Amino acid sequence: MKHSLSHLLFKNPLIVGFSTFIILLFTSQYIAYQKFLINENEQKKEINNQVNIIKEKLQAIVMYSYSSTRTLGYIIERNGIPDDFDTIARELLKGHSYFDAVQLVDGEGFITHVYPLKGNEVIGYNIFTSTTASSGALETIERKDFFIAGPVRLKQGGVGIISRYPIYINGKFEGFSAVITKLSTFLNDLNINTSEENDFLYQLSRVNFETGEEEFFLENDMSSYKSYAVPIELTFGEWKLYVIPLQKNINTAIWFAIIGFLMAIMLSWSAWYFTGQSERINNLINTKLEEQEYELNTIHETTRKQIEKSELLYRTLTSYAPVAIFNTNEEGECTYVNEEWMKYSGMEFNEALRYGWTNAIYPDDKDRVMDEWQEAVSNNSEFQSEFRFLNKNGKITWLSAKATKLVDSNNNLLGHIGIAIDVSERVKNEKELLHFKRDLEKLVSLRTDELSESKEALLNLLEDMNLQSIELEKEKVKAQSADLMKSAFLATMSHELRTPMNSIIGFTSLLLKEYAGPLNQEQAKQLAMVKNSGQHLLGLINDILDISKIEAGELTVSFQEFDFVESLTDIIDFLSPQAISKKLVIKTDLHNEKVILKSDKRRVEQVLLNLISNAIKFSEKGTIFIKVNLVDSMLCTQVIDEGIGISKENLVKLFVPFIQLNGGLARSHEGTGLGLAISKNLIEKLGGTIKVESELGKGSTFTFCLPLEL
Amino acid sequence: MKTNILIIEDNEHNMYMLSYLLEKNGYHVLKAYSGVEGFQMAHDHKPEIILIDIQLPDMDGYEICVKLRHNGIPKNTTIITVTSYAMGGDREKSLEAGADGYIEKPINPDTFISKMVSIHRNKNKK
């Protein structure tokens, strides 16, 4: 009971939170109080230190004012009022920073001398006319000795003390020597100098000996502060030093208390929250559990209904299924057979139960089927077999049976469920098939013999063919090497053919230059013919060599920058004699004075030469027009003639090697017919395109375009 | 003072033709019929212009170019290769080997002298 009570208390978040709050509050406030006590002790120590220091300073001030006043008094008693009063006074004032003025008062109470004059314009003032100014003066006269008056509200402002010494010459009172010390300044200085170490304000008081009342040196009222009054031993009167601590130290304790209080609230709130949280979680879990239990119940009920339903379905299905269905237990004993099974066996339901069903098996099959069944039961495996049933009415049915084991989730055998179908028809068919098969086999073996003979013949044939293909391969290699040999031959011929041509053309030219002597007209004419034929032959040789290089794939081009316009002009200059002789005009349309082309100069010139000389060759009249255009970064050149033109069917064959159009034996124009084929190859090799447009009888336009730079 | 020209050429006809052409045009011609002979004569006579046939029996013309350039003939000697290959790339090969120019065979007597002079002038301009 006690346990449950404490448990209950602990479980109640409100109680936990509140008790945490109380405990923390008390602890923190206790600590704050202790802190406060420590602070106060430290403060008291500090106050004592400060009081001692200030007391010594005050004592020093009082002592010095005493000695200063007396010294002045003595001087006057002995020598009368000195002429150099100011000098003496200045020396005296130097002694202490809080001395404000030195005065002399005559026997009637009139102030006769003051130093410094500035700020002390009181000469001629009678001190006896004012109670404050005369305070302590009469006392001095009465005592016939030094006395300190104060606190005195000074005429110059501030509150101070006045040290007076009565001067008696020949027993007669002749006046006072006086030193005024403004103690309010001293105190103000102390208060202004409060710093980290000095956390106090100070006030000084003295009991008025006439009224017996305590009077203060600072005018500000400090009664609202908590202060410590310490009596100070000074001569002449009861002095008290008030020490007023600044709030700082106490504040730390208060802060401590406040923060402690706030933390108590926060922690107790957390305690309340977290204890409450566990309660809330518990509630949540309980609710969830209840929901789940309800759901489980629902599921259970639904499942039961479903099982009932499926049981009904199973029974209905098995009863009316057109196959035999049976059930056995884990011992292999029959527990159920359906209508169809009973139809095959001619048995009643009860007759089939346990091992009664085995009696339905045809006697010849019985031992085999029993063995198979026992094996399936003992091995927990499937049962599969074909056998005959002998009906009581004598009818034999061939059955194909299959039984699947039933196991629970732990893989324990519960029994078997099986079906058996009537396969009598199939068995009958199979028997017939077997007969067929036997016949067929005989036939096949006969055929196979025939085929194997054919195969052998085929293999022989294949072998022959293989031999032939090897021969062919050899031939191919031979042909290829012949190609190579042809190329090598052509390369050699290139040099060998050209060397004699070099001589023929060269020497003819030399002779024509008449270095060796003057030629007559006929000699010159004939030599010119030799030169012309030589150049023509060289052209043919070059064409043949080029085309063979192209066919051997050995044509190489090299790229360099050159001026296309210059090349074109050179070619036109070279060909114009031919044009002039046929009364043809060559016109050019060049948009630029200079076109720098990066290509194979010699090959480009070869193409130009071919196209323009073709134009001359196939024109009988008109103009040959050469247009040069820059399209994007392609240089396009058109050679337009007004010659015989080319028919449509011939246009296709134009760039094919060895074909001169309008050909056959009736060639009307000299040439190999290789020029255009070579030109096409060259232009394509140089990254360009070439095309032709033509109409029979009206002329042709050849256009080739080359990239300015590859 | 006639300009000295060394011709390195193995074909007698060509040699005759070139030397005849050059002499008729006022040059002094030195003849070498093989690479070795030409190399020797270039050193002995220090001609202003050397014409080299690329296809020689003993030495490749390019090889002679490289050797001459690296074996102390005066730097301002003009070396011109004469070739009938015209397979493309002859110009590059010649310049790479240190020749200053390249004239294609068959030699055209009408233009040969002017081509040679222009290559020689360009060389001396540099």
Side-chain angles (χ1 to χ4, degrees), chain A residues 98-167:
Chain A
Y98 298 105
F99 291 175
D100 262 9
V102 180
Q103 281 180 356
L104 287 183
V105 179
D106 67 8
E108 309 292 315
F110 289 104
I111 297 170
T112 57
H113 291 77
V114 174
Y115 181 86
L117 255 179
K118 200 175 179 218
N120 295 301
E121 289 85 2
V122 288
I123 290 179
Y125 177 80
N126 194 316
I127 59 163
F128 292 123
T129 57
S130 148
T131 42
T132 46
S134 66
S135 161
L138 295 174
E139 179 75 13
T140 314
I141 298 165
E142 216 168 90
R143 288 164 62 128
K144 292 186 181 173
D145 199 358
F146 176 85
F147 190 69
I148 292 176
V152 180
R153 209 161 298 272
L154 297 169
K155 258 192 105 56
Q156 301 89 335
V159 182
I161 51 171
I162 305 173
S163 309
R164 292 195 182 93
Y165 180 76
I167 301 166

Side-chain angles (χ1 to χ4, degrees), chain A residues 446-684:
Chain A
L446 216 68
R447 285 280 180 205
T448 310
D449 289 346
E450 286 173 20
L451 270 173
S452 71
E453 277 168 26
S454 307
K455 188 186 160 193
E456 215 159 288
L458 258 172
L459 278 176
N460 288 338
L461 200 65
L462 268 176
E463 206 166 314
D464 287 353
M465 279 173 78
N466 261 342
L467 283 174
Q468 275 175 16
S469 83
I470 289 166
E471 283 301 313
L472 273 171
E473 192 66 25
K474 278 182 190 164
E475 290 294 325
K476 195 179 156 195
V477 171
K478 258 191 212 166
Q480 275 171 352
S481 55
D483 254 8
L484 287 176
M485 274 171 70
K486 190 175 98 188
S487 298
F489 169 75
L490 286 169
T492 317
M493 288 308 280
S494 158
H495 185 67
E496 294 303 322
L497 286 172
R498 270 196 262 211
T499 307
M501 286 313 296
N502 203 4
S503 289
I504 293 163
I505 297 167
F507 283 115
T508 320
S509 302
L510 281 180
L511 281 171
L512 281 167
K513 279 187 175 292
E514 300 186 323
Y515 287 133
L519 299 169
N520 63 37
Q521 211 181 342
E522 197 56 34
Q523 285 171 328
K525 189 182 165 190
Q526 289 177 10
L527 275 175
M529 287 175 168
V530 173
K531 190 185 169 185
N532 198 24
S533 299
Q535 272 167 342
H536 184 61
L537 181 56
L538 187 63
L540 296 179
I541 291 167
N542 282 339
D543 276 0
I544 292 167
L545 291 172
D546 275 346
I547 205 78
S548 20
K549 272 183 207 157
I550 288 166
E551 289 193 334
E554 279 172 10
L555 187 89
T556 51
V557 289
S558 66
F559 292 85
Q560 78 236 27
E561 284 188 353
F562 66 95
D563 180 8
F564 177 77
V565 174
E566 193 190 314
S567 290
L568 179 62
T569 316
D570 283 352
I571 302 290
I572 293 170
D573 287 348
F574 179 72
L575 291 174
S576 52
Q578 288 178 37
I580 289 162
S581 70
K582 289 182 82 173
K583 291 181 182 160
L584 297 166
V585 184
I586 300 180
K587 274 190 189 170
T588 53
D589 180 11
L590 311 171
H591 289 284
N592 307 70
E593 274 184 26
K594 203 173 185 184
V595 177
I596 299 299
L597 186 64
K598 194 171 184 189
S599 198
D600 191 317
K601 185 183 179 192
R602 211 181 72 86
R603 293 307 191 178
V604 173
E605 285 178 353
Q606 189 180 341
V607 173
L608 278 172
L609 189 74
N610 178 250
L611 294 181
I612 300 171
S613 64
N614 273 353
I616 296 170
K617 206 190 286 178
F618 297 106
S619 296
E620 299 305 325
K621 60 176 169 56
T623 308
I624 292 161
F625 198 41
I626 298 161
K627 271 189 184 172
V628 178
N629 278 310
L630 272 172
V631 181
D632 294 329
S633 56
M634 297 292 277
L635 176 78
C636 290
T637 309
Q638 285 185 300
V639 179
I640 307 160
D641 67 54
E642 298 171 328
I644 56 170
I646 308 153
S647 68
K648 270 185 189 167
E649 57 267 30
N650 281 336
L651 272 177
V652 196
K653 299 186 252 170
L654 196 62
F655 293 107
V656 180
F658 301 108
I659 288 177
Q660 199 180 45
L661 303 175
N662 203 6
L665 290 170
R667 290 161 56 105
S668 57
H669 304 280
E670 60 184 16
T672 51
L674 292 174
L676 284 175
I678 293 168
S679 292
K680 184 172 193 279
N681 259 287
L682 287 175
I683 291 295
E684 280 167 4

Side-chain angles (χ1 to χ4, degrees), chain A residues 495 499 502 506 515 556 602, chain B residues 11 17 25 55 87 104 106-107:
Chain A
H495 185 67
T499 307
N502 203 4
Y515 287 133
T556 51
R602 211 181 72 86
Chain B
N11 184 294
M17 182 165 60
N25 279 279
Q55 216 179 27
M87 292 282 278
E104 206 178 302
I107 285 153

Side-chain angles (χ1 to χ4, degrees), chain A residues 320-472:
Chain A
Y320 297 102
V323 292
I325 295 174
F326 57 94
N327 244 165
T328 61
N329 63 13
E330 69 271 25
E331 305 288 340
E333 296 168 348
C334 182
T335 55
Y336 171 83
V337 290
N338 73 342
E339 312 289 327
E340 194 73 7
W341 192 95
M342 291 184 262
K343 209 170 90 189
Y344 293 148
S345 61
M347 280 183 172
E348 292 296 315
F349 185 82
N350 286 335
E351 287 178 277
L353 294 182
R354 294 178 62 79
Y355 284 98
W357 61 278
T358 55
N359 296 325
I361 301 170
Y362 190 76
D364 286 0
D365 296 343
K366 194 172 176 178
D367 288 348
R368 173 175 64 86
V369 175
M370 285 302 289
D371 283 350
E372 285 168 353
W373 179 248
Q374 285 305 330
E375 202 186 327
V377 171
S378 53
N379 290 347
N380 280 3
S381 59
E382 283 193 345
F383 166 79
Q384 192 164 6
S385 185
E386 283 191 7
F387 49 85
R388 282 164 288 186
F389 257 19
L390 180 61
N391 197 303
K392 281 182 178 168
N393 63 16
K395 193 190 170 196
I396 295 173
T397 312
W398 267 100
L399 290 174
S400 172
K402 194 172 179 180
T404 310
K405 58 180 179 170
L406 290 170
V407 288
D408 66 8
S409 54
N410 294 327
N411 217 25
N412 296 322
L413 186 73
L414 299 176
H416 281 81
I417 181 164
I419 58 166
I421 52 174
D422 182 355
V423 290
S424 306
E425 195 69 15
R426 200 197 78 201
V427 171
K428 197 179 118 200
N429 289 341
E430 270 174 4
K431 273 179 187 160
E432 282 172 10
L433 259 174
L434 203 66
H435 284 296
F436 255 131
K437 198 184 153 197
R438 279 186 194 139
D439 290 349
L440 215 71
E441 272 171 0
K442 271 181 202 161
L443 205 67
V444 166
S445 84
L446 216 68
R447 285 280 180 205
T448 310
D449 289 346
E450 286 173 20
L451 270 173
S452 71
E453 277 168 26
S454 307
K455 188 186 160 193
E456 215 159 288
L458 258 172
L459 278 176
N460 288 338
L461 200 65
L462 268 176
E463 206 166 314
D464 287 353
M465 279 173 78
N466 261 342
L467 283 174
Q468 275 175 16
S469 83
I470 289 166
E471 283 301 313
L472 273 171

